[in-house]
Amino acid sequence: MKKVHEINEEKFKINSLNKYASLMALGNGYMGTRSALEEDYPQQVRGMYVSGIYNKAYPEDSSDIVNLPDVFGVDMIIDGEPFSLLSGEILSYNRTLHMQTGEMTREVKWKNRRGKSFLFKFQRFVSKANLHLLASKITVTPLADSADIQIETGINGQQTNFGKQHLVEENVRVYDEKVMFATYRTSESGHKIAIAACCDFPESFTTVFLSKNRKLTAKSQGVLYANESAIIEKTGSVYTSLDKESAGQKIENLAVKLAKEAAGRGYHDLLASSGDQWEDFWKKKRVEVNSLNHFDQTALDFALYHMEIMTPGHDERFSVGAKGLTGEGYKGHVFWDTEIFIKPFHLLTEPEKAKKLLQYRYDRIEQAKEKARMNGYDGALFPWESAFSGKEETPEFAAINIRTGLRQRVASAAAEHHIVADIAFAVVHYYLATGDEAFMRKEGLALLRETSLFWISRTTEENGRLSIKDVIGPDEYTEHIDNNAYTNYLAYFNVQQAIYYMEQFQMLEPAFEEKVKKFLKHLYLPLPNDDKIIPQDDTFLHKPDIDLSKYKEVQGSQAILLDYSRSEVNELQVLKQADVVMLFYLLPDLFSEEVIRENLHYYEERTIHDSSLSKAIHSIVAARIGILKDAYRFFSEACLIDLGSNPHSSDEGIHAASLGSLWMSAIFGFANVKIDQDGLAIDPKLPKEWKELSFPLAFRGRILRVKMTQGNIEINKLSGQPMPILVRGQKYKLSSELAINY
Amino acid sequence: MKKVHEINEEKFKINSLNKYASLMALGNGYMGTRSALEEDYPQQVRGMYVSGIYNKAYPEDSSDIVNLPDVFGVDMIIDGEPFSLLSGEILSYNRTLHMQTGEMTREVKWKNRRGKSFLFKFQRFVSKANLHLLASKITVTPLADSADIQIETGINGQQTNFGKQHLVEENVRVYDEKVMFATYRTSESGHKIAIAACCDFPESFTTVFLSKNRKLTAKSQGVLYANESAIIEKTGSVYTSLDKESAGQKIENLAVKLAKEAAGRGYHDLLASSGDQWEDFWKKKRVEVNSLNHFDQTALDFALYHMEIMTPGHDERFSVGAKGLTGEGYKGHVFWDTEIFIKPFHLLTEPEKAKKLLQYRYDRIEQAKEKARMNGYDGALFPWESAFSGKEETPEFAAINIRTGLRQRVASAAAEHHIVADIAFAVVHYYLATGDEAFMRKEGLALLRETSLFWISRTTEENGRLSIKDVIGPDEYTEHIDNNAYTNYLAYFNVQQAIYYMEQFQMLEPAFEEKVKKFLKHLYLPLPNDDKIIPQDDTFLHKPDIDLSKYKEVQGSQAILLDYSRSEVNELQVLKQADVVMLFYLLPDLFSEEVIRENLHYYEERTIHDSSLSKAIHSIVAARIGILKDAYRFFSEACLIDLGSNPHSSDEGIHAASLGSLWMSAIFGFANVKIDQDGLAIDPKLPKEWKELSFPLAFRGRILRVKMTQGNIEINKLSGQPMPILVRGQKYKLSSELAINY
């Protein structure tokens, strides 16, 4: 395996600090930390988050993923002046996220305002070997003169979620004049957090401990001669009362013990253990591409790195937020992004993790039923935004309406109901890829049944036809419309699959069957019109077009909402993201290639791609019908959603679904892997830029490794029973390996 | 009157940003704002506070003065880079607090990293003409090249008290595409806050409004040609549900109306109205000194400026926090500082304000009685720290104990009981200076009676002698001691004055009289020992001495607590501040000059002056007994508590009591004004550096103006009836003016 790529920042840029803090975030699925620089800068947002630790700052608010006290921040005072790259002169700068090992490093040569030069090396990681551990190391060397160095670091409980404080400081102390320790309690959800941190300062330094205003700090001061290095190692530990494996133990003791023991082992030893885990990860899951564009591999490595650190594979009680654990965008809430964009990677590399993500929904089915009941429906209506409780967490308000000056209400909770079918889709997909009958029998069928009951109750009968009215499809720029094509087809699929599997598992009740059959018979499924265009909803095609080029240029920024209010946008043929195209992606066999091509063209022209969920889906749909040039362009553009030059695109966290969709582009688009009742099919559609693509696949108990070039495909089965496989439309039996030239 | 001095900052220093934010704070007694720079810097603390708006962030915490959403902060992006004085080059810099008019201005000539130069002028004030109004003006001029300027400012609700958020955001909107508006609710105390802000940007600029993450912002962008100025004026208004004068009106409407109307008037007109009020203030209250050291006048002007902006003269329901409204030190709590250090200035310049400060205590007498009851005492035990509720607000913990690593408990709430007598002292002083019989009859006697009952119950009888055990005197480095001289003498004074005035007002009850007489007869009052030293408490003089020079050098920083734990300091003859000396200040006639001199010498040697309440008291006591060289030195050092070179001395706010004591040094020390049963006495003790001192005095319905030089004193009565006066020990009758040479 070639070396995993790095993410580099070669110049200090104040404007992109928050972008790189997200991009270079560290984590392990249990916790995530933004890679804010050690020293503070205005508007730089630090953040540490633990999966599942949400809180409401006040009763009428929705839950936030809690920004926990900070451990990586360091104030350095050099000859009496705070170290800041805004002052003095930067002689050299490089920051690197070593995705191979999960470490972030920064090397800076800097001249202060008095003309003294220093070399700084900053290193840090969040351990993949111990979910509760993080560590950092700082090496400071004055290059030509002696200097007075003062370092302050500890546990900083002044962190907030953009001004909202979720934590009550409960206990603060120092053990053995060494281990700083603090406990906190989330103010509403009542989780307990224990954090310990242990610093090793140079022996010649003098250290005191200070506790004030929610900050517990070790302040260490000393003089360094020219070329003498000060090395500061810090270990930190985080435990919470939600931790499963700590049940019955005092998390306070665990935190102190771990920080102390880790300090005894030292930074490099700890990093090595964590790096071993990362090596294993890449070995098992990496997608390798030999592309004319070196950056394609970087983007795929980046996607997989983040898929790994965002997913709480250790605990089925949590799921993945729209920004992973890299920022506070969308408050850490869980959307359909998880089922449709993030789960597939896990499903086909480590299905146990995919199962946990579905388990997360299953465990909240009662809350979903309650939401349905409250809204006058049957079955389960899953919340548009979900956190820990399983209740609807969508915030009440979005941005200011430019016409009225009032904040605009967010309609998604009330109308973006397709999430129900998305979850059902993910259940079916999970079963098809794993054949996990135990899951299907219990959790899977329960989910399919309750989601079906919801859809059945969600319809309105008019002249014998069933409509689904007043919804929002994936395209959120078109609200409160009737018979959204995506929603109706997915709802149909949902109900159809429910009855199919209930029959299969001999769990079909006659009363249910009757309702279902009526639904399937009468549900209105919009068909292509004379121009072959599937109407996105009942009224969409009657609305006027406008010139979108201005907004497409700054796509992702929702700039159109600065010129038009939401309700004005609603009356235009303007899409935020794939909608009918999304339908083609999920249910590719419903429509002819011609219909897909015409609709792709029609809708893409009208799509701003303001959602990061859009581009890669277009890529996949285009690839499958062989429009490879467009497919590759869409893919390349999708890679830039986080990694592009916009300095603010990822300020509030990476785009988790977008990263999942990059993997999907490679596997479901260019490799054109398809999983259905008939099993596994592969029908490569490699763009000309890609010389080779290889990746692992977990499928129904087997581990496969697939490698394809232009005109050749090799499939190795690394474990599991022989299986049939469809390659380029032809049936093969895969015993141990298969090589096909074409 | 000569021009009121200015406070200048002639160089941008990142280390002293928070000091100057406090020193140059603006306010009007209703609200106070820290003068943080418009642009953000790491660790720069912004703050806006309204008198009486306290909140508990969580039930077990004590109340904080709430840091309200910010209006003065501005993000400026110039040619795509944030404006920051840390980057680029500062060609010239001057920041000035114009105490004459209450305006702060900053002029900066700055070259950005690309070599373009700009001139910035920042102006702002908090109105003294309308308590709810603040305004700012920014003028930006590119000096040689055109530049793209982006300005973001609005209402920033991300402000916290060092990470604690007290406000629930309730409503956010923009009126008429112009007036930004937000309302908040304090989470526990339930006060409502309405803030409006209105910006005038250059006409050529494009402006949009954004609302996200508790920030409501106007973002305005345009291009400026060389030498073309962009002028941005902003008006802001603040109302709260506590406002008396807004009762019955919707504070939302008031806020929007004021911000809009003010914008119509414009910055300069608004400033002129406010400046008129300041002119009136200085005319009526200024202390003028002709000193060899120009700085003495600066310090006195500074003291008076802050006394004025810290005092909620508009409403008797609030009092003065230990840092005024300039920062969050001591959480905005009210201590004995108010009665003993701040009230005197008001008492002798505008007695109505002094009365309100006493009314604040009287209105909370039931809570003080409750605290006494809870602790097993009679009468009223006022809280050591008070906020709005009148309940004890002292925080539970202070800094980390360097030995145990545990936070140390704050003992003041449990033992620093002298505040009871301090309040009683202030009542008597108020009556002596005003002759306000109505107040004495009702509020005054109630306070004297309940405080007396407390002291009577606070004693322990041993062998016929009454002790007051387990207290903390003003010297907080000596805790849990018995018979603190200050406390015992003040308690005696308290009870003695109570019975005296109850008799005077024919309100003495026999049962009370009997208790009182026993108390006065048997209370132990420590007398000078053979060395003429009054023991500070029963054990103090038996404790060892240590060399304090190291700590005296950095006085004010409590550096001794980094070498000794509190309990270790407790076993040493180390004083934080004046204790026996404080007693001499308040009750000057009890002891002979010789005793005062010996004790001053003995205790000062052992006093670190880590409290800002110490130095000026030493000055006054020294001046009165004619040790003028020391007195002037103490005074000069006291002037440096805020205005000295320590860059961090005032980070969390100015030292309100210290500023009050500067005025006291001039009036009660160098002018040696004395007010007692016999009336007003003046016996100048001008240090040789002072050629002339003049000041107003309000005394029992008269307004006097006193002017003294070395060897001459002139007293003019500007209003009121003729009165007797004692000058240098001799009785005079003051009809309209009096001139005495000596």
Side-chain angles (χ1 to χ4, degrees), chain A residues 323-547:
Chain A
K323 303 288 184 182
L325 297 168
T326 69
E328 288 149 49
Y330 299 110
K331 299 162 138 270
H333 293 173
V334 180
F335 294 72
W336 68 312
D337 305 37
T338 303
E339 280 75 13
I340 300 300
F341 296 83
I342 295 158
K343 195 216 63 181
F345 163 73
H346 297 299
L347 177 59
L348 297 185
T349 58
E350 192 179 346
E352 269 305 306
K353 279 194 183 173
K355 182 178 177 178
K356 282 179 176 153
L357 297 177
L358 292 171
Q359 188 74 34
Y360 166 87
R361 296 294 190 183
Y362 173 77
D363 291 343
R364 287 158 180 80
I365 205 166
E366 288 308 321
Q367 290 81 349
K369 285 162 84 171
E370 175 65 19
K371 183 179 171 187
R373 241 188 327 275
M374 299 279 291
N375 286 274
Y377 306 121
D378 299 336
L381 170 53
F382 283 93
W384 176 244
E385 302 188 22
S386 180
F388 187 69
S389 71
K391 293 184 182 161
E392 181 59 72
E393 295 279 7
T394 304
E396 198 176 352
F397 294 108
I400 293 278
N401 180 309
I402 55 159
R403 305 281 173 242
T404 63
L406 287 161
R407 284 180 298 179
Q408 299 171 106
R409 278 182 193 277
V410 178
S412 303
E416 205 155 350
H417 291 165
H418 65 79
I419 188 167
V420 173
D422 302 328
I423 292 169
F425 180 92
V427 167
V428 173
H429 205 228
Y430 171 77
Y431 180 69
L432 290 173
T434 61
D436 182 347
E437 296 196 355
F439 175 85
M440 189 49 125
R441 189 175 298 279
K442 185 181 172 202
E443 293 88 349
L445 284 181
L447 284 163
L448 289 177
R449 182 178 193 280
E450 295 302 330
T451 49
S452 293
L453 287 172
F454 167 73
W455 287 120
I456 291 165
S457 73
R458 184 64 179 78
T459 53
T460 311
E461 192 170 346
E462 286 169 327
N463 311 321
R465 190 181 89 166
L466 292 175
S467 289
I468 300 178
K469 296 197 156 196
D470 192 17
V471 295
I472 307 175
D475 164 30
E476 291 173 329
Y477 282 170
T478 311
E479 293 183 348
H480 300 303
I481 37 77
D482 301 339
N483 294 315
N484 171 257
Y486 176 90
T487 305
N488 283 26
Y489 277 100
L490 264 288
Y492 186 93
F493 176 84
N494 184 343
V495 176
Q496 179 198 47
Q497 296 292 310
I499 194 171
Y500 174 80
Y501 284 108
M502 286 170 97
E503 218 160 12
Q504 290 276 310
F505 284 81
Q506 293 160 344
M507 288 172 76
L508 187 57
E509 310 141 19
F512 182 76
E513 188 179 5
E514 191 181 325
K515 282 192 217 173
V516 160
K517 288 203 165 146
K518 184 185 162 204
F519 176 89
L520 293 177
K521 187 169 172 201
H522 296 287
L523 182 68
Y524 168 57
L525 294 173
L527 295 172
N529 64 15
D530 294 346
D531 300 324
K532 314 243 184 298
I533 302 306
I534 299 167
Q536 180 176 312
D537 59 60
D538 283 353
T539 53
F540 186 85
L541 297 180
H542 308 300
K543 294 173 179 173
D545 284 320
I546 57 163
D547 178 13

Side-chain angles (χ1 to χ4, degrees), chain A residues 27-28 125-131 273-274 277-278 281 308 353:
Chain A
N28 55 24
F125 69 96
V126 170
S127 178
K128 199 166 163 46
N130 184 327
L131 298 181
S273 302
S274 176
Q277 297 298 314
W278 274 108
F281 165 79
E308 181 65 7
K353 279 194 183 173

Side-chain angles (χ1 to χ4, degrees), chain B residues 527-536 541 598-599 602-603:
Chain B
L527 294 173
N529 65 13
D530 294 346
D531 299 323
K532 314 248 185 300
I533 303 305
I534 299 167
Q536 180 176 314
L541 296 180
E598 289 303 320
N599 280 276
Y602 182 88
Y603 282 109

Side-chain angles (χ1 to χ4, degrees), chain A residues 34 79 153 219-220 230 336 356 507 526 597 604 609 688:
Chain A
R34 287 172 63 73
D79 283 342
T153 187
K219 183 170 162 182
S220 189
W336 68 312
K356 282 179 176 153
M507 288 172 76
R597 190 166 45 244
E604 204 280 324
H609 300 291
K688 68 176 174 31

Side-chain angles (χ1 to χ4, degrees), chain A residues 12-15 40-43 57-60 75 77 80-82 84-88 90 113 157-165 167-177 185 208-216 328 397-400 402-407 562 652, chain B residues 12-15 40-43 57-60 75 77 80-82 84-88 90 113 157-165 167-177 185 208-216 328 397-400 402-407 562 652:
Chain A
F12 170 78
K13 288 193 208 122
I14 186 75
N15 280 335
D40 287 331
Y41 293 93
Q43 280 153 43
Y58 34 90
E60 57 272 55
D75 292 327
I77 317 273
E81 288 227 345
S84 168
L85 296 178
L86 286 175
S87 71
I90 300 169
R113 298 206 287 184
Q158 290 183 12
Q159 289 291 104
T160 65
N161 289 60
F162 295 106
K164 272 188 267 178
Q165 180 56 263
L167 296 171
V168 177
E169 189 187 59
E170 291 211 314
N171 190 14
V172 171
R173 68 166 296 177
V174 178
Y175 284 99
D176 309 330
E177 298 186 38
R185 184 185 81 233
V208 295
F209 292 97
L210 306 170
S211 161
K212 197 177 179 188
N213 291 335
R214 299 178 65 98
K215 258 177 131 167
L216 174 59
E328 288 149 49
F397 294 108
I400 293 278
I402 55 159
R403 305 281 173 242
T404 63
L406 287 161
R407 284 180 298 179
L562 300 178
E652 295 187 5
Chain B
F12 170 77
K13 288 194 208 122
I14 186 76
N15 280 335
D40 285 331
Y41 292 93
Q43 280 152 46
Y58 33 91
E60 57 271 55
D75 291 329
I77 318 274
E81 288 228 343
S84 168
L85 295 178
L86 286 174
S87 71
I90 300 169
R113 298 205 288 186
Q158 291 184 13
Q159 290 291 105
T160 64
N161 289 62
F162 294 107
K164 274 189 264 178
Q165 181 56 264
L167 296 172
V168 178
E169 189 188 60
E170 293 211 313
N171 190 14
V172 171
R173 68 167 296 177
V174 178
Y175 284 99
D176 309 331
E177 297 186 41
R185 185 186 79 234
V208 295
F209 292 97
L210 306 170
S211 161
K212 195 176 182 191
N213 290 334
R214 298 178 66 97
K215 257 176 132 168
L216 174 60
E328 288 149 48
F397 294 109
I400 293 277
I402 56 160
R403 305 282 172 242
T404 62
L406 288 162
R407 285 181 298 179
L562 300 177
E652 295 188 5

